C-alpha cells in the first residue's frame, strides 16, 4: 500500500498522532508532516485535533473505510501469492469470544490439528468489537461473537447466525444475592464487572444514527467497578469481592468450576444472537465457507438450536 495511506490508517486506528508514531516507529513531526501532505494531495481536511487526540472528518471517514478495504485486498493478495508459492497446507485463522472458545471452538481446533498436523493455527480471543477490528484489518478470516447492533453497513461484514443465548449474572459463593431470586435493580446495587468494555476508537463501526447510544451508554466506563479484556482476571476479581459479572448464561457450568454461582433473576433478561462474521467479499470463498460450515456443525453440538 501507499505509505501515506498506511500511516493514515495507523493514525485513525490509534486515535492520536503520538500513538500512531510510536506504533510506526517514526517521529511525531514526520507523521504530522505526512498527514498534512496527504490532506494536500486529497484536497480536503481528513483529521481534526481535539483534547482526546485526533478525530476523522467526514472525508476522513470515507478515506478510512476505503483504505481499509484496499489494505485487506492487498494483504489477501500477498497471502494468496505466499500460499501458491509455498503450496503450504492452509491452517485456521479465526477469532472468538472466550465463551465460544470454551464451549466448542477449542475442541474443533484440537481435532483440526490432529487431522492436519502441519497446518498452522491462529486463534484471537476478544470481544466482538476488537474482533471486528481485526476482521476488517485482515488479521483474521472470520470470528464468532455477538451480533453487533447498529453496525455500519459500509464495514462490509456479513453475519451468519448460529444460536440465541440469554444473559446470566454470576457472583462468588456465599454472596448475599444468592439467598433469593433478585430483580435487575437489586443486581445493579452491587459493583459491576465486564470483560467486554468497548473502546472509544470502535465507535466508527456504528451507523451515525446509533452513535449517540452506542457512543454514550455502551461506551460508558463509569458504571463498571472493574474491567479487563481478560475474562480470567474478571473472574478472579469477582471470586474475591462482592462484584457481579454479567455473561452468557451458557457458561454457567464453566463458571461453577471457577467457584462462581449464577444469581436467580425473577424477571426477563437480555437475549443475544450469536453467529459468525466474515467479510462480504470472502464469505463465499470455498475456504471461508468451509470454515463457517465447521463452526455451524460444532456449535450445533454445544449450543441451543437457533429459533
Amino acid at each position: 500500500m501507499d505509505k501515506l495511506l498506511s500511516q493514515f490508517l495507523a493514525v485513525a486506528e490509534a486515535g492520536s498522532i503520538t500513538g500512531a508514531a510510536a506504533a510506526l516507529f517514526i517521529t511525531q513531526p514526520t507523521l504530522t508532516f505526512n498527514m498534512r501532505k496527504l490532506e494536500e494531495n486529497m484536497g480536503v481536511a481528513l483529521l481534526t485535533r481535539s483534547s482526546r487526540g485526533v478525530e476523522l472528518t467526514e472525508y476522513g471517514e470515507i478515506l478510512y473505510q476505503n483504505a481499509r478495504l484496499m489494505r485487506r485486498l492487498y494483504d489477501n493478495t500477498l497471502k494468496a501469492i505466499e500460499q501458491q508459492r509455498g503450496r503450504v497446507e492452509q491452517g485456521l485463522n479465526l477469532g472468538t469470544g472466550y465463551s465460544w472458545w470454551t464451549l466448542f471452538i477449542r475442541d474443533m481446533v484440537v481435532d483440526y490439528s490432529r487431522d492436519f498436523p502441519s497446518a498452522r493455527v491462529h486463534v484471537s480471543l476478544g470481544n466482538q468489537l476488537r474482533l471486528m477490528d481485526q476482521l476488517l484489518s485482515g488479521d483474521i478470516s472470520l470470528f464468532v461473537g455477538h451480533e453487533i447492533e447498529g453496525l455500519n453497513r459500509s464495514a462490509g461484514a456479513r453475519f451468519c447466525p448460529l444460536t440465541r443465548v440469554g444473559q446470566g449474572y454470576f457472583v462468588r459463593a456465599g454472596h448475599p444475592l444468592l439467598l433469593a431470586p433478585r430483580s435487575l435493580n437489586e443486581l445493579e446495587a452491587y459493583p459491576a464487572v465486564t470483560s467486554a468494555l468497548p473502546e472509544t476508537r470502535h465507535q466508527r463501526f456504528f451507523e451515525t444514527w446509533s452513535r449517540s447510544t452506542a457512543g454514550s451508554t455502551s461506551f460508558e466506563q463509569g458504571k463498571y467497578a472493574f474491567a479487563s479484556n481478560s475474562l480470567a482476571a474478571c473472574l478472579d476479581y469477582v471470586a474475591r469481592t462482592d462484584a457481579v459479572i454479567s455473561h452468557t448464561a451458557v457458561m454457567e457450568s464453566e463458571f461453577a468450576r471457577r467457584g462462581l454461582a449464577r444469581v436467580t433473576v425473577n424477571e426477563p433478561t437480555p437475549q443475544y444472537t450469536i453467529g459468525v462474521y466474515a467479510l462480504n467479499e470472502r464469505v463465499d470463498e470455498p475456504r471461508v465457507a468451509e470454515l463457517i460450515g465447521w463452526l455451524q456443525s460444532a456449535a450445533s453440538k454445544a449450543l441451543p438450536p437457533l429459533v
Side-chain angles (χ1 to χ4, degrees), residues 91-267:
L92 295 179
N93 186 22
L94 53 87
T96 176
Y98 181 85
S99 297
W100 325 121
W101 166 257
T102 303
L103 292 173
F104 67 92
I105 293 181
R106 176 176 57 194
D107 291 340
M108 187 193 86
V109 167
V110 171
D111 290 342
Y112 182 87
S113 296
R114 287 172 180 160
D115 293 338
F116 304 98
S118 62
R120 292 171 293 181
V121 177
H122 170 251
V123 179
S124 179
L125 268 69
N127 68 51
Q128 63 268 35
L129 294 181
R130 283 189 173 219
L131 295 174
M132 179 60 71
D133 199 5
Q134 292 179 310
L135 178 71
L136 298 181
S137 297
D139 295 328
I140 54 179
S141 301
L142 44 75
F143 73 87
V144 178
H146 290 66
E147 184 175 16
I148 303 172
E149 296 184 9
L151 180 67
N152 195 319
R153 286 170 291 181
S154 67
R158 189 183 306 180
F159 183 72
C160 306
L162 293 174
T163 188
R164 282 185 65 80
V165 298
Q167 190 80 341
Y169 300 86
F170 301 89
V171 296
R172 61 168 175 82
H175 195 287
L177 286 173
L178 298 175
L179 298 177
R182 305 293 183 176
S183 68
L184 293 178
N185 284 337
E186 288 179 287
L187 269 62
E188 290 176 357
Y190 288 84
V193 172
T194 181
S195 62
L197 188 67
E199 301 172 33
T200 303
R201 65 193 180 96
H202 293 151
Q203 292 191 53
R204 63 171 57 92
F205 295 155
F206 294 90
E207 294 281 6
T208 304
W209 59 264
S210 69
R211 289 186 186 179
S212 58
T213 54
S216 57
T217 305
S218 299
F219 286 80
E220 176 58 53
Q221 301 187 20
K223 68 177 183 177
Y224 295 108
F226 182 86
S228 173
N229 62 355
S230 166
L231 181 59
C234 290
L235 299 184
D236 286 340
Y237 184 89
V238 173
R240 291 162 174 78
T241 67
D242 282 341
V244 179
I245 184 170
S246 60
H247 208 81
T248 48
V250 290
M251 288 290 284
E252 182 173 358
S253 60
E254 179 68 20
F255 283 5
R257 286 193 282 272
R258 296 291 302 268
L260 303 187
R262 184 180 176 185
V263 178
T264 301
V265 180
N266 57 14
E267 59 182 289

